[in-house]
Amino acid sequence: MILKPFMREGLFPLPVTFISTMSPDGVRNVAPWSCIMPVLRPLDLICLASAKKRDTLANIRATNQFVVNMAGAQMQDKVIPTAKNVPPEIDEFELAGLDEKPSHVVSPPGVAGCYAWMECECVQLYEEDKHVLITGKVLHLEVRDDVLDGEGNLDVAKAKPLIMTGKKGVMNYCTAVDLGSQESFAAMFTDGADPFGGKYR
């Protein structure tokens, strides 16, 4: 089957996160976000793609701060309430019935009920005609203890990360399944040594 190019998101399972920001006047904003990714394994950077007219982007421009909130499947009912186009003076935490989690190093609060939080500062905006790429530095990374396994790694069966695939006119929600199979990063290198292995100690 040949698909229209813009339907590429139907073939990419995308994480559904919530980005929380705060205006200079202290108004809390939260929006669902799937166009997001880490920037290379050894770095502490994350990249978001944004449309030009977004309150989230306006707040990041003004304050340089945001929180990436990693949502579990139980938060799927919060996607649409936080996605609606409302005036910037509206507190979207209140609108969506979300509780806040106080942040440690940035002003915007996190979203309570998520399984992990990345408190970030904006380090670069890459401006294009119709979109902006936001590069952020993760200043504080926190995860709930109850979604970790005995070795301190994410247990996807416990976290149930919220994932979306695009269908024709709809967002299809799903989650991840652990296959119980692992490979060492070191296996990619001919000498069997992971050059970034020391960062995990």
Side-chain angles (χ1 to χ4, degrees), residues 17 21 30 40 49 51 80 93 116 122 127 145 147-148 150 153-154 156 163 178 181 184 188 190 193:
T17 70
T21 59
V30 60
L40 298 179
I80 295 303
F93 275 76
C122 178
E127 303 275 354
D145 292 339
V147 298
L148 300 178
N153 298 310
L154 183 69
V156 295
I163 297 171
D178 193 329
S181 176
S184 170
M188 296 187 291
T190 55

Side-chain angles (χ1 to χ4, degrees), residues 66-67 103-106 117-121 137-140:
F66 61 96
V67 180
S103 294
H104 292 265
V105 297
V106 298
W117 304 265
M118 303 177 196
E119 300 177 24
C120 305
E121 69 174 358
K137 180 181 179 66
V138 179
L139 304 177
H140 180 82

Side-chain angles (χ1 to χ4, degrees), residues 140-158:
H140 180 82
L141 176 62
E142 185 176 351
V143 60
R144 287 191 351 232
D145 292 339
D146 65 323
V147 298
L148 300 178
D149 63 18
E151 297 180 350
N153 298 310
L154 183 69
D155 186 325
V156 295
K158 295 177 180 177

Side-chain angles (χ1 to χ4, degrees), residues 21-196:
T21 59
M22 186 177 288
S23 75
D25 295 329
V27 179
R28 301 177 301 176
N29 179 274
V30 60
W33 221 274
S34 288
C35 294
I36 182 170
M37 69 173 195
V39 181
L40 298 179
R41 182 163 62 98
L43 304 181
D44 54 3
L45 301 176
I46 195 161
C47 183
L48 291 66
S50 175
K52 290 276 190 169
K53 294 183 178 181
R54 294 292 298 267
D55 292 339
T56 297
L57 176 60
N59 288 344
I60 291 174
R61 288 189 192 277
T63 68
N64 285 324
Q65 296 184 341
F66 61 96
V67 180
V68 179
N69 303 271
M70 303 300 296
Q74 82 283 357
M75 299 193 73
Q76 61 183 285
D77 64 334
K78 300 300 182 182
V79 173
I80 295 303
T82 56
K84 291 184 177 180
N85 186 16
V86 298
E89 63 270 17
I90 298 296
D91 185 319
E92 293 192 46
F93 275 76
E94 290 185 5
L95 182 68
L98 292 170
D99 294 322
E100 70 172 46
K101 176 191 177 296
S103 294
H104 292 265
V105 297
V106 298
S107 295
V111 176
C114 289
Y115 68 82
W117 304 265
M118 303 177 196
E119 300 177 24
C120 305
E121 69 174 358
C122 178
V123 296
Q124 186 73 50
L125 296 175
Y126 297 91
E127 303 275 354
E128 299 291 342
D129 289 341
K130 296 181 179 180
H131 69 276
V132 178
L133 296 180
I134 304 163
T135 301
K137 180 181 179 66
V138 179
L139 304 177
H140 180 82
L141 176 62
E142 185 176 351
V143 60
R144 287 191 351 232
D145 292 339
D146 65 323
V147 298
L148 300 178
D149 63 18
E151 297 180 350
N153 298 310
L154 183 69
D155 186 325
V156 295
K158 295 177 180 177
K160 294 182 176 62
L162 183 57
I163 297 171
M164 182 273 288
T165 57
K167 291 188 176 181
K168 294 180 179 179
V170 300
M171 294 176 287
N172 181 66
Y173 299 125
C174 50
T175 189
V177 175
D178 193 329
L179 299 179
S181 176
Q182 299 180 350
E183 292 283 359
S184 170
F185 284 120
M188 296 187 291
F189 300 93
T190 55
D191 61 0
D194 180 359
F196 311 122

